[in-house]
Amino acid sequence: MVKKIPETLFWKDNVLLLLNQLELPYKVTYKECKNYKDVINAIKVMIVRGAPAIGVAAAYGMLLAGIKSAGLSSSAKLVFMKKAANDLISSRPTAVNLKWAVEKMMKVVEQSLKLNPENYISILYESATDIYNEDILTNMKMSEFGARLLKKDSVVITHCNAGALATAGYGTALGMIRTAYKNGKIKNVFVDETRPYLQGARLTAWELQQEKIPYTLITDNMAGYMMKTEKVDAVIVGADRIAMNGDVANKVGTYSLSILAKYHKIPFYVVAPSSTVDFATLYGIKIKIEERSADEVLKINGRSIAPKDTQVRYPGFDITPASNITMIITEKGVYKPNKISILKKVK
Ligand code: MRU
């Protein structure tokens, strides 16, 4: 099942290999990262993307930094690793999984330098690999919970790509759709193309096609009409950061979709690991929204689509208010958005 989609990332002979998502769906190629700075660049240009996947990639980025720092004294190692951690965290600002994974690795760095310095690299390797493996298990668990919420032969809409490609494997929103399909609960998936980076058209459509799950590609502005004229049973999306009050940051366009779903009385599900919940952020409005290069809006496949010197706004994400979300599905259970802060206490 997971194996039909090429691995999003893997570690081999001290190199992190990232499936180059800029080349999909046309070519399956891997980008080699031999240095943590290669990982930073790959995250920035979106060779690897999707909140959990960039978290896992950054964990291996910390391992690469650890290897680079091997010859330094303990105190110099610590300084080097703190700088690497900060640089990795700031490579993309909205997805909190990045910060979560890097901070987890930084704790391991501090502990191993204190207690077990001779096994520093192997301890970092084990920790990055645990983060990788946990991500896949977590996705499968939440997908199981989520699939239970759908009825037989459902028609659903998804936005962006929250699939195997956005995680270490299996996916969050698309993971739920995969499990539901296996259980006879999916008749068709409407895939928003997701302008401007086209994660829906390029990545989600490709994943669904690989697994022979029926789908129909629509442009983002068709979702309302589909809801009005066709039977749509649920909207299922991922998340980049969830605030304590249940507001959700996700790919720009998610907010509009949530309003459409509310108007048409269609359940709106957010599927995300508990590492996407940001216990330090009380409200969605406090979440930093990434602004990306105008070129991604002005060009399609390298070709300009607007007059020269056109001014552009390009927030990469938006905030969906808790009041527009029916349920948030995590590996620890299914929660009403305004109850998500409970996760702080759930082991
Ligand atoms: O800019 P991207 O492609 O990294 O944005 C991805 C999304 O918005 C996903 O929905 C989110 O990260 C969840 S991925 C499981």
Side-chain angles (χ1 to χ4, degrees):
M1 103 228 97
V2 181
K3 288 291 163 198
K4 288 189 200 157
I5 309 290
E7 282 167 287
T8 308
L9 72 170
F10 60 94
W11 180 257
K12 194 171 175 232
D13 302 333
N14 283 357
V15 175
L16 174 66
L17 287 122
L18 298 174
L19 178 61
N20 188 345
Q21 300 195 26
L22 299 173
E23 305 262 23
L24 288 174
Y26 309 109
K27 277 194 216 152
V28 174
T29 59
Y30 281 86
K31 165 82 185 157
E32 288 192 348
C33 299
K34 297 184 175 166
N35 189 305
Y36 82 91
K37 291 191 176 160
D38 297 337
V39 180
I40 292 178
N41 185 53
I43 293 174
K44 280 188 178 158
V45 302
M46 290 168 71
I47 285 172
V48 61
R49 34 70 45 202
I54 60 180
V56 178
Y60 282 107
M62 288 294 282
L63 170 59
L64 286 167
I67 293 171
K68 187 108 186 140
S69 74
L72 304 175
S73 68
S74 263
S75 57
K77 267 193 189 110
L78 206 55
V79 173
F80 184 88
M81 293 304 285
K82 275 191 182 149
K83 158 109 178 66
N86 287 337
D87 292 351
L88 279 161
I89 288 174
S90 50
S91 57
R92 284 196 83 188
T94 305
V96 79
N97 309 62
L98 180 59
K99 188 165 174 275
W100 171 85
V102 171
E103 283 177 352
K104 210 168 177 182
M105 291 296 285
M106 197 59 217
K107 270 199 192 119
V108 174
V109 167
E110 282 160 6
Q111 270 176 357
S112 68
L113 286 180
K114 217 186 275 168
L115 305 173
N116 204 348
E118 60 287 2
N119 292 324
Y120 169 61
I121 300 298
S122 57
I123 292 172
L124 284 183
Y125 169 76
E126 272 164 33
S127 303
T129 307
D130 282 351
I131 290 175
Y132 176 98
N133 289 330
E134 254 175 47
D135 186 55
I136 300 177
L137 286 177
T138 294
N139 292 339
M140 298 191 85
K141 258 193 210 161
M142 66 179 96
S143 297
E144 201 61 54
F145 288 142
R148 287 183 203 155
L149 301 175
L150 297 177
K151 55 178 197 273
K152 196 172 174 289
D153 287 334
S154 291
V155 175
V156 301
I157 298 187
T158 191
H159 189 68
C160 193
N161 172 270
L165 297 169
T167 61
Y170 206 76
T172 60
L174 215 52
M176 166 168 163
I177 290 170
R178 271 195 172 92
T179 301
Y181 179 71
K182 270 186 260 161
N183 298 346
K185 292 187 162 186
I186 295 286
K187 187 167 158 213
N188 196 28
V189 184
F190 282 114
V191 176
D192 269 3
E193 70 168 348
T194 319
R195 270 281 289 154
Y197 186 83
L198 304 177
Q199 289 95 328
R202 296 188 308 104
L203 308 176
T204 299
W206 184 73
E207 275 196 40
L208 291 170
Q209 190 174 68
Q210 300 296 302
E211 301 217 337
K212 302 196 168 33
I213 299 175
Y215 71 91
T216 307
L217 182 64
I218 55 173
T219 60
D220 303 346
N221 49 1
M222 294 175 190
Y225 192 60
M226 292 305 115
M227 290 179 185
K228 175 83 185 160
T229 57
E230 311 232 349
K231 174 188 96 87
V232 175
D233 301 290
V235 175
I236 308 174
V237 297
D240 276 75
R241 195 183 288 240
I242 301 174
M244 285 291 81
N245 70 339
D247 290 350
V248 167
N250 193 49
K251 181 52 52 194
V252 69
T254 305
Y255 170 52
S256 325
L257 204 53
S258 77
I259 293 171
L260 289 171
K262 194 169 186 176
Y263 181 85
H264 291 97
K265 301 190 172 46
I266 294 169
F268 189 95
Y269 298 122
V270 172
V271 192
S274 54
S275 54
T276 303
V277 180
D278 183 1
F279 298 115
T281 299
L282 294 182
Y283 306 103
I285 193 89
K286 300 276 180 200
I287 297 173
K288 182 163 186 215
I289 297 296
E290 176 183 22
E291 289 276 341
R292 293 189 60 85
S293 155
D295 259 7
E296 288 181 30
V297 174
L298 288 170
K299 292 180 182 169
I300 295 185
N301 284 339
R303 202 181 158 152
S304 289
I305 54 161
K308 202 169 167 286
D309 300 326
T310 293
Q311 196 179 311
V312 167
R313 263 303 306 282
Y314 179 13
F317 300 89
D318 59 26
I319 307 290
T320 298
S323 54
N324 286 5
I325 299 168
T326 311
M327 286 292 175
I328 299 179
I329 299 151
T330 76
E331 80 283 10
K332 294 185 177 174
V334 178
Y335 299 90
K336 286 237 170 256
N338 61 1
K339 294 280 183 283
I340 201 70
S341 61
I342 284 177
L343 275 184
K344 209 170 182 177
K345 295 189 199 137
V346 181
K347 283 280 163 240

